[in-house]
Every structure is written in C-alpha cells, then in structure tokens.
Amino acid sequence: MNRIVYLNGQWLPEAEAKVSIFDRGYVFGDAIYEVTAVTQGKLLDYPGHVARFHRSIGEVGIVCPVSDEELLAAHREIVTRNSLDEGLIYLQLSRGPADRDFHFPKAPVPTLSMFTQAKKFIDDDAHVRDGVSVITLPDLRWGRRDIKTVQLLYPSMAKMEAEKQGAYDAWLYQDGYITEATSSSAHIVTRDGVLVTRPLSHAILPGITRGSILSLAREAGIPVEERMFTVDEAKAAAEAIVTSATQLVQPVVKIDGQPIGDGKPGPLTKRLRKIYIDYHLAHLI
Ligand code: PDD
C-alpha cells in the first residue's frame, strides 16, 4: 500500500508517518476513533460521525487540536490525495505521548491521525445476497461501550472465536439480552414486522447507521421498538440485521447454527438497505 496519511497536520506517505512509543493510545488504549464511509469519492453521514467523535472525546476529556472546518477539510483532502472512490476514513485522536503514568498528563499534546482503506460496500456482495451467520458470546467489554475507544481487544477475540467456529461474526449478550455485534449494531424483526433494537445506554455504541435506520424506518411507516431483546427472542425472530458504517444494512440468517426465519435475507432487511442507500446516496457531502 502506498497511501498518503494524515498525522498532526502533515500529509505523509504511510511509511513515513511515525508515532511515539510513549503515545497513550499505544500504551493505555487512551484514544478515540471514528470510521466514516466514502462512496463516489464523498462522505456518507459525516455529520453523525463527527458529532459522535465530539461526544466520545468529551467523555474522556481529550481536546481536538483542529476545528470542525479543518476536520471536514482533512476528510475531503484525504479522499482526494488517495483517489478514494469507495472505502472508509479512519480517524483517531489519542491523548498523545507522555511518560507512562496512569494519571493523565497535565499538558497533553494529542495525536490526530487519519488513513483511508479501500472497500466496496454499496453493491450487494455475497454477504448481502446470502446473509451471514453469527455465534453468541458473553459481552466481556468494559462498561462504557458508548464511547468509541480504540480498546478493541475483546471484540477482536470474539471475531476470532466466531471465525474458529465457521461464523462471520459474534453477537454479544449480557444478562441474557443482546447488546450488539463485535463491530456493528444488532437488530431483529419480529414475526409481526416490528424492527426491534436495544435502546441507547452505556452498554452499546450509539451506532450512526443505527440512528439513521431508525429514523428512516419511522419515516417509511415501519414500526420500530427500542427495547432489549434476549438471545432466545433473536433466534425466534423473523429477521436479524446488523448495521454499521461500512456494512450498511446486512442480513444475519443464522444465530448459533439456528436459521432465522426461512434462513434467507428477509424482506424488511432488503427494504431497509435500499431505503438507507437511496437516502444517503442523495445526501453525500
Ligand atoms: N464499528 N457497535 C460497535 C461496537 C461498533 O464498533 C460499530 C462500528 C457499530 C456501528 O456504528 P456505526 O453505524 O456508527 O458504524 C456498533 C466500526 C465500523 C469499526 O470499528 O470499524
């Protein structure tokens, strides 16, 4: 790969972008990130991502060194510099380098970095056409999953366990209720056609795609319930769905080996995917 990346105001070939080994993002996982999808060389739902970025950094007390205008300009410039047609922009802000100390440094110099990754996600691929399978695992992440930190070891371990068991991903549960997937929001559709998703709390990330899907579904007259649902309810559902910035709306057709509905991507999943894509392709920035 020969990307141009952003590091603290500089544009650099990726091999030349260097961050200190004392960086608190590296030593403590003391960093916040965002992932924004890009298609047709434009940003998809950027306002949602930047708003969540501000919320996350506010929760952990990291101050962004650039203005919102500069951040948007950098998102646009990284797309241009890398001739990115479709893929994602990864943004990370760490508290920066400091001597190793659990206390935050008194005068932090945060590290702001961005890179792109090419990925196709608008056209239906095999995952969208056939659906994916998930296993369920206990949610052993920390108690502030609403903050988008780079502490992703448990989600990585859960994905590896899913892969070991021949599944695409894992849905996580706590006290018998589904929280979310390892890197996406989890939803079900009841046999009465109600889209059910867990309400926001410290237990889940406020998914930007989740928020958009809920409002687009409501606008389309699709019944929506924000409530907890159990692993058993998910297995008995008519449809199961995951949403995220780069998976958009993806059908889940098997949970712990049990087919969901008729074991094929369901009609509401397909409809929501189409509604989501149509809306956002008309609102790229
Ligand atoms: N993951 N829940 C978790 C735990 C996530 O990591 C993500 C996103 C989501 C969906 O959020 P959004 O709709 O805003 O992408 C839900 C990103 C894409 C990632 O880590 O790569």
Side-chain angles (χ1 to χ4, degrees):
M1 288 286 232
N2 201 11
R3 288 167 291 195
I4 299 294
V5 301
Y6 173 96
L7 179 60
N8 296 328
Q10 284 190 295
W11 296 101
L12 299 164
E14 61 178 65
E16 287 171 31
K18 304 269 164 57
V19 176
S20 164
I21 65 160
F22 296 104
D23 196 281
R24 286 182 60 93
Y26 181 61
V27 180
F28 286 103
D30 186 357
I32 297 298
Y33 78 105
E34 264 307 326
V35 174
T36 303
V38 173
T39 187
Q40 300 172 12
K42 293 195 173 140
L43 310 175
L44 196 156
D45 215 346
Y46 178 77
H49 289 281
V50 79
R52 183 174 62 191
F53 176 67
H54 281 301
R55 180 180 179 276
S56 291
I57 63 176
E59 289 296 309
V60 298
I62 301 179
V63 177
C64 186
V66 300
S67 69
D68 277 359
E69 291 70 32
E70 288 169 308
L71 204 55
L72 173 59
H75 273 76
R76 288 190 161 139
E77 189 165 347
I78 203 164
V79 169
T80 312
R81 283 184 182 261
N82 291 283
S83 308
L84 184 67
D85 176 51
E86 197 160 299
L88 61 88
I89 299 171
Y90 178 91
L91 163 74
Q92 182 174 314
L93 180 63
S94 83
R95 205 178 304 272
D99 265 356
R100 186 175 182 277
D101 183 344
F102 282 73
H103 300 91
F104 295 166
K106 297 261 177 312
V109 183
T111 304
L112 182 65
S113 58
M114 291 168 67
F115 61 80
T116 55
Q117 214 156 280
K119 183 184 177 197
K120 291 283 179 201
F121 56 83
I122 289 285
D123 290 343
D124 287 3
D125 60 8
H127 291 147
V128 174
R129 281 192 299 272
D130 305 335
V132 297
S133 63
V134 301
I135 57 167
T136 58
L137 290 174
D139 196 338
L140 302 181
R141 298 172 299 164
W142 77 322
R144 289 302 306 275
R145 303 163 200 146
D146 56 313
I147 307 172
K148 201 162 172 61
T149 79
V150 299
Q151 301 168 47
L152 298 175
L153 182 54
Y154 186 70
S156 287
M157 290 168 70
K159 271 225 212 266
M160 291 311 293
E161 181 58 28
E163 186 180 301
K164 204 170 107 192
Q165 295 190 29
Y168 172 77
D169 197 4
W171 276 22
L172 308 175
Y173 61 84
Q174 186 171 30
D175 303 326
Y177 292 94
I178 297 292
T179 52
E180 55 188 335
T182 59
S183 61
S184 53
S185 310
H187 321 263
I188 56 169
V189 178
T190 67
R191 291 182 180 271
D192 303 332
V194 180
L195 176 65
V196 179
T197 197
R198 187 176 172 120
L200 297 183
S201 70
H202 289 173
I204 60 167
L205 187 78
I208 302 308
T209 321
R210 169 196 179 281
S212 177
I213 280 295
L214 293 189
S215 67
L216 290 170
R218 286 186 176 113
E219 270 171 39
I222 296 163
V224 172
E225 273 177 26
E226 285 187 72
R227 63 166 173 82
M228 313 246 277
F229 57 93
T230 62
V231 174
D232 287 345
E233 191 179 0
K235 289 181 185 171
E239 300 177 39
I241 307 172
V242 286
T243 59
S244 80
T246 58
Q247 293 172 105
L248 312 183
V249 179
Q250 207 172 74
V252 171
V253 294
K254 226 182 238 184
I255 301 178
D256 289 335
Q258 192 167 314
I260 304 306
D262 63 2
K264 298 199 185 91
L268 193 61
T269 310
K270 289 183 193 163
R271 187 169 164 215
L272 286 171
R273 184 176 171 89
K274 182 167 174 5
I275 291 173
Y276 182 84
I277 291 175
D278 287 350
Y279 177 84
H280 285 287
L281 288 186
H283 292 86
L284 298 171
I285 63 161

